[in-house]
Amino acid sequence: MDTHDHHHHALPLSMYIGVGATLFILTGVTVVSAQIDLGSTANLILAMSIATLKASLVALFFMHLLYDSKLYAFIFSVGLFMLTAFIVITMFDTMRRDGIYDHRAVKIQQEAGFYKDIHEAAAAEAAAVEAAGDGEHDAPAPAAH
Amino acid sequence: MHSSPPDQNFLSHPKGLASWLFTLDHKRIGIMYLILICLAFGLGGFFALSIRLELMRSGEQFMDQDTYNKFFTLHGAVMVFLFIIPSIPATLGNFCLPLMLGAKDVAFPRLNLASWYVYVIGAAFTLFSVVTGAVDTGWTFYSPYSTQSSTSVISMTFGVFILGFSSIFTGLNFVVTIHKMRAPGMTWYQMPLFVWGTYATSVIQVLATPVLGITLLLLILEKTLGIGIFNPEMGGDPVLFQHFFWFYSHPAVYIMILPGMAIISELIAVHSHKKIFGYKLIAYSSVAIALLGFLVWGHHMFVSGQSEFSSMVFSFITFFIGIPTGIKIFNWMTTLYKGQICLTTPMLYALAFLILFTIGGLTGIFLGALGLDIHLHDTYFVVAHFHYVMMGGTVIAFLGGIHHWWPKIFGKMYSEFWGRIAFVFIFLGFNMTFFNQFMLGSQGMPRRYHDYSGLYKTDLFERYHGFSSYGAMVLGVGFLIIATYLIASLFNGKAASNNPWGGLTFEWATSSPPPTENFREEPIFKHGPYDYDKVLPENI
Amino acid sequence: MEQVVAIAGEEHHRGHPALAHHFHDMEQQHESIKLGVWLFLVTEVLLFGGLFCFYAIYRAWNPEMFTQAHQLLDVKLGAINTLVLIFSSVTAALAIRSIQLDRPKQTAMFLVVTLLCAATFLVIKYFEYSHKIHAHILPGELFAYTHLEGVANPHIFFSIYFAMTGLHGLHVVGGMVFLGFVLIRTLQGTYSSEYYIPVEMGGLYWHLVDLIWIYLFPLLYLVG
Ligand SMILES: [Cu+2]
């Protein structure tokens, strides 16, 4: 590889103008396509596809990713990959909060009865102790079930 | 190539405070970081000891609940953000990385100095919150409590936001340095493993820290403008804060431990004078840990109300982290096998690391198991686990590294006798403090409790807690001994030779301490960093 | 082999005033800085990424609200701003090309056009913001717009809108400061085809600002 001079080579003017014009046209396309109602999701996918196309043009041509060392493209892709992983994996949670096991709630309620009994027994015991130690007052009757 | 006269080194020349504060020399910046980081460790340690004294007996001892909440928050925040994240990369990494690569400096010396100043500013904001009423949210700043707490959360989170830039600057600088500044002839697979570990760390610093930045900014906006995205009353979701926080903070655990592992690779090879076993696997496993570490953050959220599906996925991926970690441990052990092991202080710390980190890592696997975590979540088991990883791993490795490179940094030998004594204090004190916390946690003692009287196992808890507090004192004495003999060595230590341990990496080829330009003659790569089977260093 | 190249480079470039002492040659310096810039751009992507993640989650939770709320934004102004930014991206790219061809005057001209576009973008943004503020279309608790009956939590959309466009606006301002600095240095004659990395840094950063807007525009103004 010509290590010495390769970054001095300027790219042709026509490339910049061509890519710029394409970006202008794609902006028009995305505005118009958003006016057509394809359903919320389809509109979103279409708009994002056009945006990604535009962004790729900017990155590949204006930012020279196509011509420069592939290391830069690799680093940028790692960043984008991490971002995608972040969004997708977070949505594993936010989109699936309903739970997998239907019986879970029932089971917890059943178990909760166990704790309710313990608490009531403890309260009754405490009341009994208080009544024994403090005879002058009328001991409150233990709560009936 | 101009080289400085043989009696001049980077410490002695130039002189004056200004020459330090405006230095672009990575070695000096490393030392400036070392000073601040030791201060931060002292401060965090002060909070830790106060917490341990409060918990020594059940019932309130000498601080009330609010003070206690602030103390454990400050202990966590200072130790995590001011000490352990910058600790190894910014000090030993700064000092050693260019030397190990045979470079004159890091790629961006100004950015390096800037990171130090940004650290100072961030630390100022973080500690300013102490003056204005401290913070009681815990170092994790979970919403919705952090958005409601009237303590100075904004000052501290803004400080942490700024500290993030310091971390990014260091990481970015190191990645470029490793890619572009290697000595002529040094390929990727001829770099010392310390460099590989630092590389993996830096990648995480660059990729994860910005997400913490935006999270903390949004938390500040939530507190100031009430933007509502973490507020369930306004249609927001507080669990999202945890997602965002842990997307940074789980990888941040590897920002803390990978540099520790990087040091251990050096210590074990050099002090057993043996070619490291499985060089490539150790190198790759660092990168694998860095990347896998991005996919497991939800294991901190099993009881947060996150979906069951997520929890299962996160739990599943978490187990995979054990593979590259195990690879490292076994490779280090195999390196030791039939090596010429010298039980120097650095080597003692390296061996301690193997034991303590294995305990810390394995208990991490327990906690990654979904069902078990429901039982152990937010108990002292978790506290013990991460102290075994952070302190038994990173801090122990840091201590080993400091002793290993001390002769190179300052040109003086520390007292090997006191070094071993202090090691005994540290190792015993550490295990006394934290091992029983595993028992404490599995018996049900919740973390972050100010007072455990009235819990149904108070007597048992009191025994464990009391023992733990005595252990913390032993640990504290150990650190005081280390500080004393290290500082004393600067004044009366005997002069260190250029290569006291018989290391084969570049930093041992220059003088101790190195000249300002690192190498008097440009180093040429002749042998691998661990070629003990081919080369014999002159003085072993 | 690498060594030979390095020495050849040293002979050719030694003595260039912009070569820092710790690099072998201009080539190494240029590539190092460029790598640093790309890493910085990755941090920017992830910084904005957090907000994109919020957008995705809240849109998935409240598709109806997003559709209703986004109609309060002015598509025409958004589209004009998109075109302005794309145009400025073209001129920023051409500024780099000119300096590669050793035409500093042309570079300065393209930088001026880029800066003017940036200013236009901010002026339009200012009109958009002030209109929103007058109508009390504000983030979170400050939201007091009354004509969105029956839509739950529309303030969430505007919290995200203001966070995203606000952060992006700050980046535009930052980019203007840096490009302004580059313009001054260009006029001083600092740059040539030998040394023009600051121009390239400014350009790369500016393209990223454009790139983020390319996503923000459809997400906020078009499909909500
Ligand atoms: Cu974790």
Side-chain angles (χ1 to χ4, degrees), chain A residues 55-68:
Chain A
S56 313
L57 288 176
V58 172
L60 290 176
F61 293 99
F62 288 176
M63 299 169 97
H64 294 177
L65 277 186
L66 198 60
Y67 311 99
D68 261 336

Side-chain angles (χ1 to χ4, degrees), chain A residues 89 92-93 96-97 100 104, chain B residues 237 243 307-310:
Chain A
I89 297 180
F92 276 179
D93 166 30
R96 290 164 178 264
R97 288 263 171 93
I100 300 173
R104 189 185 63 154
Chain B
D237 180 29
H243 275 295
S307 77
E308 290 159 352
F309 177 75
S310 268

Side-chain angles (χ1 to χ4, degrees), chain B residues 246 249-250 253 296-297 299-300:
Chain B
W246 288 112
S249 291
H250 184 82
V253 171
V296 298
W297 74 84
H299 61 217
H300 297 267

Side-chain angles (χ1 to χ4, degrees), chain A residues 71-72 78-79 82 85-86 89-90 92-94 96-97 99-101 104, chain B residues 179 207 237 239 243-244 247 291 294-295 297 305-310 314:
Chain A
L71 179 64
Y72 308 132
V78 170
M82 281 303 165
F86 177 40
I89 297 180
T90 308
F92 276 179
D93 166 30
T94 60
R96 290 164 178 264
R97 288 263 171 93
I100 300 173
Y101 307 113
R104 189 185 63 154
Chain B
H179 270 280
L207 288 175
D237 180 29
V239 177
H243 275 295
F244 277 60
F247 180 78
L291 296 180
F294 275 95
L295 308 176
W297 74 84
Q306 131 183 289
S307 77
E308 290 159 352
F309 177 75
S310 268
F314 281 125

Side-chain angles (χ1 to χ4, degrees), chain B residues 240-258:
Chain B
L240 283 183
F241 179 85
Q242 296 188 29
H243 275 295
F244 277 60
F245 182 82
W246 288 112
F247 180 78
Y248 166 75
S249 291
H250 184 82
V253 171
Y254 299 117
I255 296 178
M256 306 173 200
I257 193 63
L258 279 170

